[in-house]
């Protein structure tokens, strides 16, 4: 997407596929005044998930991801614009892992679905997870590659059975990280396994710390 003509044609195809008409005069004036960079076109592309182009690419992408292990390393981010928003830099010391998570609720692990106890505990199928799937994906990546630190994550794909998330991880022992004042805070020993203690963005959301306003004070310092 280095060429503005290519980006403009892609955006046009996205809008036609999503059923949008012509841009409003105010939008045309605003876009013409400052222009749109490559990352802005990518952001617009990922926002129109019902477009023909996106649905075709998503079908190919999910097929490819299904052939890969549940946790595997990516050569580069699938969404470079989103990866940069959550802290990724294309430099040494930053690594991206992709994690596959089963969608839906979890069943109670009992033999033949029989609970020898009170009726209160006999539910099998409709157990709702306290944490979100993105936080669970971060946890699995952090356990798998324990020497790295989990910085953040984002959604990349899903089908009827799975969701895929990409986890931005940092090598705390790499000199490029230790010498960078913007990221070397993650090298502190207290930052080990942030994902297991609910300190990442997904973990804070699961703890309810993003709620604001009245009655949100009861959620601090964590959900009760």
């Amino acid at each position: 997407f280095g060429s503005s003509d290519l980006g403009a044609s892609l955006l046009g195809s996205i809008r036609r596929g999503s059923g949008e008409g012509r841009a409003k005069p105010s939008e045309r004036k605003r876009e013409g005044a400052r222009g749109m960079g490559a990352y802005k076109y990518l952001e617009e592309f990922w926002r129109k998930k019902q477009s023909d182009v996106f649905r075709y690419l998503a079908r190919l992408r999910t097929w490819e991801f299904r052939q890969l292990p549940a946790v595997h390393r990516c050569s580069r981010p699938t969404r470079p614009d989103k990866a940069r928003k959550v802290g990724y830099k294309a430099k040494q010391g930053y690594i991206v892992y992709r994690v596959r998570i089963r969608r839906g609720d979890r069943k109670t692990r009992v033999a033949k679905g029989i609970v020898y106890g009170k009726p209160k505990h006999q539910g099998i199928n409709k157990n709702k997870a306290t944490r979100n799937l993105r936080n669970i994906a971060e946890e699995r990546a952090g356990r798998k590659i324990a020497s790295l630190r989990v910085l953040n994550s984002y959604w990349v794909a899903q089908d009827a059975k799975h969701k895929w998330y990409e986890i931005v991880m940092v090598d705390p022992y790499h000199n490029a990280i230790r010498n960078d004042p913007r990221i070397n805070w993650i090298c502190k020993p207290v930052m080990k396994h942030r994902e297991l203690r609910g300190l990442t963005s997904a973990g804070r959301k699961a703890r309810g710390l993003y709620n604001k306003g009245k009655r949100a004070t009861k959620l601090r310092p964590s959900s009760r």
Side-chain angles (χ1 to χ4, degrees):
F1 299 109
S3 169
S4 61
D5 296 336
L6 179 60
S9 63
L10 175 61
L11 182 60
S13 65
I14 294 169
R15 283 177 168 164
R16 286 192 298 272
S18 60
E20 286 191 8
R22 295 168 57 186
K24 298 178 181 178
S26 60
E27 293 180 359
R28 288 200 302 269
K29 184 178 180 181
R30 189 165 59 248
E31 293 177 5
R34 69 171 186 270
M36 288 177 62
Y39 288 122
K40 195 66 178 177
Y41 280 110
L42 281 176
E43 181 184 351
E44 186 79 7
F45 172 71
W46 279 88
R47 188 176 290 127
K48 308 292 184 182
K49 293 183 175 62
Q50 290 297 319
S51 66
D52 295 339
V53 179
F54 189 94
R55 292 172 66 185
Y56 174 72
L57 290 177
R59 196 160 63 247
L60 296 179
R61 198 173 280 137
T62 51
W63 177 88
E64 180 188 1
F65 292 169
R66 280 195 294 268
Q67 319 308 316
L68 298 171
V71 180
H72 59 275
R73 183 175 175 177
C74 315
S75 58
R76 63 180 62 86
T78 306
R79 304 175 61 181
D81 60 319
K82 186 66 173 179
R84 286 175 58 86
K85 283 182 179 180
V86 300
Y88 172 80
K89 300 287 185 186
K91 59 183 284 186
Q92 292 180 329
Y94 286 86
I95 305 103
V96 177
Y97 274 82
R98 190 179 296 121
V99 181
R100 184 180 69 220
I101 298 289
R102 284 283 296 270
R103 294 179 63 179
D105 304 329
R106 297 295 178 265
K107 294 179 66 175
T108 303
R109 294 170 60 89
V110 289
K112 300 180 182 178
I114 302 172
V115 177
Y116 297 98
K118 299 177 181 179
K120 175 182 178 182
H121 300 123
Q122 287 177 349
I124 302 297
N125 287 320
K126 296 186 178 181
N127 300 329
K128 303 296 184 288
T130 304
R131 295 176 299 139
N132 51 57
L133 295 181
R134 186 159 70 95
N135 191 17
I136 296 173
E138 291 176 350
E139 177 183 326
R140 292 186 184 177
R143 289 183 188 277
K144 183 92 171 176
I145 312 97
S147 61
L148 302 180
R149 305 280 166 86
V150 173
L151 180 61
N152 218 323
S153 61
Y154 52 92
W155 174 92
V156 285
Q158 69 185 48
D159 61 9
K161 192 174 181 181
H162 299 105
K163 284 191 178 186
W164 285 268
Y165 297 94
E166 287 186 357
I167 317 297
V168 178
M169 309 188 77
V170 177
D171 184 358
Y173 302 104
H174 200 291
N175 282 334
I177 301 298
R178 299 181 79 88
N179 296 331
D180 188 348
R182 291 171 296 183
I183 192 61
N184 60 8
W185 55 268
I186 208 168
C187 301
K188 298 176 183 178
V190 75
M191 291 298 168
K192 292 179 181 177
H193 290 294
R194 303 169 64 241
E195 71 285 350
L196 299 180
R197 297 177 287 134
L199 301 182
T200 59
S201 177
R204 289 173 61 82
K205 183 176 182 179
R207 291 163 59 197
L209 298 184
Y210 285 163
N211 294 335
K212 304 294 182 184
K214 189 178 180 181
R215 289 189 293 272
T217 54
K218 294 291 186 180
L219 298 173
R220 269 73 176 163
S222 186
S223 66
R224 302 186 181 188

